[in-house]
Amino acid sequence: MAEILTRRSQWILAAALALLAFTAGSGVWLFAQKQNADNWVRHTFQVSDRLSRVRILTLRAEVYRRGYLLTGDPDARKNIEAIKRALPDELAELEDMTDDNPLQRERVAYFAALIRQRLVETEQTLAMRGANRAAEATSILASEANRQETTRMLAQINQIRDEEQRLLQERLDRARGFEAPIQLAGIVSGLLVLLLAWLISRERRERMTILRDANRRLHDDITRRQVVEAELALLAMNATDAVLRFDLDGCCIYASPSTEPVLGVEPAHVLGKQIGFGVSAEHRAEMYEFQHLLTTGELERGVITYRTHLLDPTAPAQWIEAHCGLVRDPATGAPAEIIASLRDVTRRKELEHELDAARGRAEAAVQAKSSFLANMSHEIRTPMNGVLGFADLLLASDLPPEQHRHAQLIVDSSRAMMRLLNDILDLSKIEAGQMQVSAERVDLRHALRGCLKLIEPAAAQKGLALEFHIDPALPRFVMVDGLRLRQIALNLLGNAVKFTSHGKVTLCADRVARDDGSAGIAIAIADTGIGIPPDRHAAIFEQFVQAEQSTARRYGGTGLGLAISSRLAALMGGALGLKSEPGQGSIFTLCLPLVAAEGEESDGAVARGPERAVHALNVLVAEDHDVNQLLMQEMLGRLGHDVTIVTDGAAALEAVTTADGGERPFDLVLMDMQMPVLDGIGAARAIRGAGIAAAQLPILALTANAYADDIAACLEAGMQAHLAKPIQLADLATAIARWAPAVAEAPAAPVAAAEPAMTISPALWEKFAARKAELLAATEAFLAGEQGDTEAETLGGLLHKFAGSAGLFGQAALGSKASALEDALETAPAAERGGLVGAFLAELRD
């Protein structure tokens, strides 16, 4: 009887639920239909609004056109251009919004065609006005065809608007029609909920009378569980992985029959063993930590891979991968035991080790290749210099025409080979990780103008205009690798001039925001040359690649310049980008982090002379340039020190070692970097090798090259500091006070309130004038004769000496240009050297 009552109640309950579901579903459906109808109403309003916007834009365009034709106001022309850009999008949106109504879409499409035609006519009349044909343009506005076209546009707008008004009314009526059914569905649903509540209450009372069936159902559940456990046991016996169970103490309490094929031992051999049984010593601590995480509940599931020797410790290692999971007590949720599924992954581990070894061999091969290229580039330069030098001598001799032509071909080929070797050397240093960049204080405007000055002669030969723009927001001094910045800029400027036959080359520097929000410098070099196809943009930054196969034949080059520039930009924390179209020119943009340098530029004059030292030092100056010798002698004499001059590193070594055992050894050495016989680096190493430590004899480097590589080389050779030429008297005094113990321990003498700057003797002025005349003669001889690597190296030595002393004679700008030309001669192709030297010669003569 209870079952009959229960069944009847269930049927009634099911029927009530079905009816409630139907009613609720109907209400939801009606509500959805109402929402859909409301959406269509909103859509109609949106179409009307879009149509009004298009109409307003069209009317504004017509008003601005008439205003421009009458007054020529440029603002009206700009407003027309803005409307022309906005109208296509508005028309496209309007066409998309009328997709549901084919007839309306045809009207909108026709209306859009009329507007586009009107825009074309507008552009024509604006062009007439710009060509001083205002009267003809005005007559078009007043023509009958124009009025008819306007009438058609207005008529079409009215048709579209009327259709939307009709649709609006129709959709409003439909939306209102759903309101009453929705209310009815809500009332019925409420009544059904009440009925359902009553049925559930009655069903609950009836269930209380049939609790006796609970025991039977419980018995059935136990039976089903036993069946499931039997199936699980069958699965464990036939599984391919070894299944183990461990208690919370790590003791194995179950091992599946598949333990033997996986681990090689009987299941009984594993029972009772601890979880670390057979695990190699290197993984045992990791295994115990893994067990601790599982038993404490910090980890529910995990995988661990380890080596094991279950039976014979001398046998080959077996790698096991264990997938472990924590089993919790169903009643309390506390950890109960650990289940692990073990599989043999020895073969996979062997393959991983082989892969790692192969990767290591490949990386070593790449490193060896890069080091080999770097070494070979250096080694090949020595015989190539000999080939080029003797070929130049042969070319200068009295040869028959045919042999003279052959000798010229040898010279040209040798110079091309040297340029290629220089590029390969830079690229090899980058790949071998030997290229270093370091930020220094650089006058950005001066550095970029210097690059333009060096490229001016080549541009003038082709009749190209050079333009330079720099953002006032950029600081004058920035922290950047000046040498690499000039190398990249000169390469890009050289390419711009090379690939541009007419027009101009522009260099712009702007302050920009980088992707990470920090400030950056964007140096853009634009030309009006041949351009680069879009599909070749990425390829030209690769090694030995040019935009087209014919480029090398027409313009020359190895295709390494941009690859090197791109990698140098990356080393400096920036990037090199490109925008170009064939026939429209190219824009290469170098983006670098902007780090402003602290402090202001020194004007090169010492406003107040330093005090004389209380204790005179015995200072050795190693300098091969006579002007710099006299300068250092006067500076040190003014500071009250005794000076000894030597002309090369070997003489400096001999003087230091001789004086070391005498009555008065040297207290300080000022060492030039570039000297004959033995350079400054070699002399410093030899002095330190002779057992004379830095605490006993500080060595300060003197050079015009204050780059990071030079400073690092000085310190590595055993020097204590680096002084960049031109040297200021105050800087020299500060360095001596810092590194010479006798001065550092002496009490300071009082400083005069306004002591005049150091004066330069007439004899020193005569020396400087003579060296300047020598540089002028060498520059003219370079332009008149051969311009090979040997001549460039000779001229570079004179430029280096001049750059180190010009600042002290009030010609710091000319000294900076000499230093820039020295750097450019090292990297510029032979064909471009004449233009660079010619530009500097004009500055030198001025």
Side-chain angles (χ1 to χ4, degrees):
M1 182 61 183
E3 293 179 359
I4 296 175
L5 292 175
T6 300
R7 191 178 299 110
R8 183 191 64 188
S9 298
Q10 289 176 346
W11 277 107
I12 295 174
L13 181 61
L17 285 172
L19 186 58
L20 178 60
F22 174 78
T23 305
S26 299
V28 171
W29 179 83
L30 288 171
F31 182 79
Q33 293 298 317
K34 177 66 167 57
Q35 288 293 105
N36 186 45
D38 290 342
N39 288 337
W40 279 110
V41 170
R42 284 192 293 271
H43 177 75
T44 306
F45 279 115
Q46 291 171 357
V47 172
S48 299
D49 179 64
R50 185 71 64 176
L51 179 62
S52 298
R53 290 167 63 181
V54 170
R55 180 182 180 187
I56 290 171
L57 288 174
T58 305
L59 292 176
R60 285 181 179 174
E62 185 64 20
V63 170
Y64 287 136
R65 178 172 71 151
R66 293 175 182 273
Y68 180 80
L69 293 179
L70 292 175
T71 65
D73 182 12
D75 290 335
R77 179 66 180 265
K78 292 180 181 178
N79 291 331
I80 292 173
E81 293 298 329
I83 292 173
K84 286 173 62 180
R85 291 191 297 270
L87 265 176
D89 294 336
E90 295 291 336
L91 290 171
E93 288 289 336
L94 186 60
E95 288 180 303
D96 291 340
M97 294 172 70
T98 56
D99 277 342
D100 60 291
N101 192 335
L103 183 59
Q104 187 75 330
R105 181 176 174 81
E106 291 179 3
R107 294 191 187 98
V108 171
Y110 178 65
F111 175 58
L114 291 175
I115 289 179
R116 294 187 183 99
Q117 182 178 353
R118 173 57 60 87
L119 291 177
V120 172
E121 293 174 1
T122 299
E123 185 63 27
Q124 292 174 351
T125 55
L126 295 179
M128 291 178 182
R129 177 65 172 83
N132 295 325
R133 295 163 58 190
E136 184 179 349
T138 305
S139 64
I140 292 176
L141 286 178
S143 65
E144 181 63 23
N146 188 64
R147 286 195 295 271
Q148 291 178 0
E149 184 179 357
T150 301
T151 302
R152 287 195 299 271
M153 290 176 59
L154 294 175
Q156 198 67 19
I157 290 174
N158 291 334
Q159 289 181 10
I160 296 171
R161 184 177 57 202
D162 293 341
E163 175 63 15
E164 291 300 321
Q165 289 297 324
R166 184 189 65 79
L167 290 173
L168 175 61
Q169 188 59 43
E170 177 183 314
R171 290 164 178 171
L172 283 172
D173 293 340
R174 183 180 179 189
R176 295 190 188 101
F178 288 106
E179 294 177 356
I182 290 174
Q183 294 175 355
L184 179 61
I187 295 172
V188 173
S189 297
L191 295 175
L192 288 175
V193 168
L194 294 175
L195 177 61
L196 184 60
W198 178 78
L199 290 175
I200 291 174
S201 176
R202 197 179 85 172
E203 174 68 16
R204 187 174 184 85
R205 289 194 302 270
E206 291 178 353
R207 282 184 173 274
M208 295 298 292
T209 63
I210 56 173
L211 286 178
R212 59 181 178 271
D213 297 333
N215 290 331
R216 180 177 56 82
R217 288 195 297 271
L218 180 59
H219 176 74
D220 293 341
D221 290 341
I222 294 173
T223 302
R224 285 194 297 270
R225 181 175 179 179
Q226 291 174 345
V227 172
V228 170
E229 289 178 351
E231 293 174 350
L232 290 176
L234 179 64
L235 179 62
M237 293 178 63
N238 296 278
T240 56
D241 291 353
V243 180
L244 305 180
R245 292 169 57 197
F246 297 90
D247 60 21
L248 297 181
D249 294 328
C251 181
C252 182
I253 58 177
Y254 170 79
S256 68
S258 55
T259 300
E260 183 176 2
V262 175
L263 302 179
V265 295
E266 294 287 340
H269 188 72
V270 180
L271 291 176
K273 297 293 193 301
Q274 288 295 316
I275 198 169
F277 168 68
V279 177
S280 63
E282 59 183 313
H283 295 133
R284 195 166 297 147
E286 181 183 0
M287 174 66 74
Y288 289 143
E289 176 64 21
F290 187 65
Q291 175 201 357
H292 174 73
L293 293 176
L294 286 171
T295 55
T296 57
E298 297 181 36
L299 186 67
E300 294 290 334
R301 288 177 177 78
V303 180
I304 185 172
T305 305
Y306 58 90
R307 288 197 309 169
T308 180
H309 298 274
L310 290 178
L311 295 178
D312 185 2
T314 63
Q318 181 184 18
W319 284 91
I320 298 297
E321 183 179 80
H323 295 253
C324 304
L326 176 64
V327 179
R328 293 183 177 273
D329 190 321
T332 63
E337 62 180 61
I338 299 172
I339 294 182
S341 175
L342 280 59
R343 64 184 58 174
D344 186 354
V345 293
T346 304
R347 180 55 183 162
R348 189 185 75 187
K349 277 293 183 180
E350 291 174 353
L351 293 176
E352 290 177 359
H353 292 159
E354 292 175 3
L355 180 60
D356 291 340
R359 184 186 297 111
R361 290 193 296 271
E363 292 174 352
V366 171
Q367 183 67 24
K369 181 209 72 172
S370 298
S371 299
F372 173 77
L373 285 176
N375 294 332
M376 288 305 297
S377 296
H378 280 292
E379 294 297 330
I380 296 174
R381 284 178 62 88
T382 301
M384 281 303 303
N385 280 328
V387 171
L388 187 57
F390 285 112
D392 284 335
L393 293 175
L394 183 63
L395 192 63
S397 63
D398 188 13
L399 294 175
E402 182 68 16
Q403 294 181 2
H404 188 277
R405 186 174 66 85
H406 292 167
Q408 183 64 53
L409 291 175
I410 294 174
V411 171
D412 293 342
S413 299
S414 300
R415 289 173 178 170
M417 178 65 78
M418 288 298 291
R419 288 195 299 273
L420 178 59
L421 287 174
N422 289 335
D423 286 344
I424 292 177
L425 178 58
D426 276 348
L427 190 63
S428 301
K429 289 177 69 177
I430 294 173
E431 289 186 345
Q434 299 173 0
M435 181 69 76
Q436 297 181 354
V437 296
S438 182
E440 59 180 350
R441 189 170 182 264
V442 173
D443 186 337
L444 183 62
R445 292 167 176 79
H446 177 73
L448 295 179
R449 285 196 188 100
C451 294
L452 278 176
K453 286 288 186 183
L454 293 175
I455 212 70
E456 273 181 359
Q461 290 179 0
K462 303 180 73 173
L464 301 178
L466 292 180
E467 296 183 1
F468 178 57
H469 306 285
I470 190 162
D471 190 349
L474 282 172
R476 180 174 181 181
F477 294 97
V478 297
M479 298 300 294
V480 70
D481 191 314
L483 175 63
R484 303 309 173 191
L485 174 64
R486 286 189 288 270
Q487 182 177 351
I488 296 173
L490 284 173
N491 180 269
L492 296 179
L493 287 169
N495 284 346
V497 173
K498 179 192 297 185
F499 296 111
T500 303
S501 58
H502 61 276
K504 64 180 180 179
V505 174
T506 305
L507 190 153
C508 297
D510 296 290
R511 183 187 181 108
V512 297
R514 307 181 75 197
D515 293 340
D516 59 0
S518 62
I521 307 171
I523 302 173
I525 296 174
D527 61 63
T528 57
I530 60 176
I532 302 170
D535 60 343
R536 301 293 295 168
H537 285 188
I540 64 169
F541 291 107
E542 298 175 3
Q543 303 169 18
F544 307 103
V545 174
Q546 294 183 331
E548 298 289 347
Q549 295 298 327
S550 61
T551 302
R553 296 192 298 270
R554 293 174 58 196
Y555 299 97
T558 62
L560 282 175
L562 288 177
I564 294 172
S565 297
S566 178
R567 296 195 180 190
L568 288 177
L571 286 175
M572 290 191 290
L576 186 61
L578 166 64
K579 291 182 180 179
S580 180
E581 290 290 340
Q584 302 298 319
S586 304
I587 302 176
F588 285 87
T589 304
L590 172 63
C591 292
L592 296 174
L594 173 58
V595 180
E598 297 181 357
E600 298 295 332
E601 179 188 26
S602 173
D603 59 2
V606 183
R608 181 178 299 168
E611 66 275 7
R612 296 176 61 89
V614 175
H615 298 285
L617 297 179
N618 188 16
V619 181
L620 176 67
V621 177
E623 170 65 66
D624 65 323
H625 191 228
D626 53 357
V627 174
N628 289 334
Q629 290 174 358
L630 291 175
L631 276 173
M632 296 305 301
Q633 192 165 9
E634 287 196 15
M635 285 184 172
L636 290 169
R638 181 177 176 81
L639 294 174
H641 302 302
D642 299 329
V643 184
T644 301
I645 303 292
V646 295
T647 59
D648 58 65
L653 174 61
E654 181 180 358
V656 168
T657 54
T658 301
D660 184 50
E663 295 181 358
R664 190 183 181 191
F666 289 108
D667 300 303
L668 182 71
V669 176
L670 299 178
M671 185 81 71
D672 186 29
M673 296 287 288
Q674 296 184 7
M675 293 183 293
V677 184
L678 182 64
D679 62 12
I681 296 292
R685 287 175 177 162
I687 291 172
R688 297 298 181 231
I692 302 176
Q696 177 183 354
L697 180 64
I699 303 176
L700 308 184
L702 304 176
T703 181
N705 295 334
Y707 302 130
D709 291 345
D710 301 315
I711 297 174
C714 292
L715 299 179
E716 188 273 334
M719 299 186 186
Q720 279 58 64
H722 185 281
L723 296 176
K725 299 178 182 178
I727 301 170
Q728 305 299 316
L729 185 61
D731 295 336
L732 180 61
T734 301
I736 293 176
R738 165 70 177 84
W739 293 105
V743 175
E745 297 172 0
V751 182
E755 187 177 353
M758 188 189 81
T759 58
I760 300 176
S761 66
L764 194 53
W765 274 107
E766 291 178 4
K767 282 283 187 182
F768 176 73
R771 293 299 167 259
K772 185 175 180 181
E774 180 185 4
L775 177 61
L776 179 62
T779 306
E780 293 173 344
F782 182 87
L783 291 175
E786 295 295 330
Q787 299 176 7
D789 289 347
T790 302
E791 292 78 9
E793 185 176 354
T794 301
L795 180 59
L798 295 175
L799 289 168
H800 180 82
K801 294 177 180 179
F802 183 79
S805 57
L808 294 172
F809 293 88
Q811 299 184 21
L814 188 60
S816 298
K817 292 177 181 179
S819 179
L821 179 58
E822 178 193 0
D823 295 337
L825 288 177
E826 295 179 358
T827 58
E832 299 177 4
R833 291 172 180 166
L836 301 177
V837 175
F840 176 74
L841 179 60
E843 297 284 344
L844 189 61
R845 285 172 174 169
D846 291 340

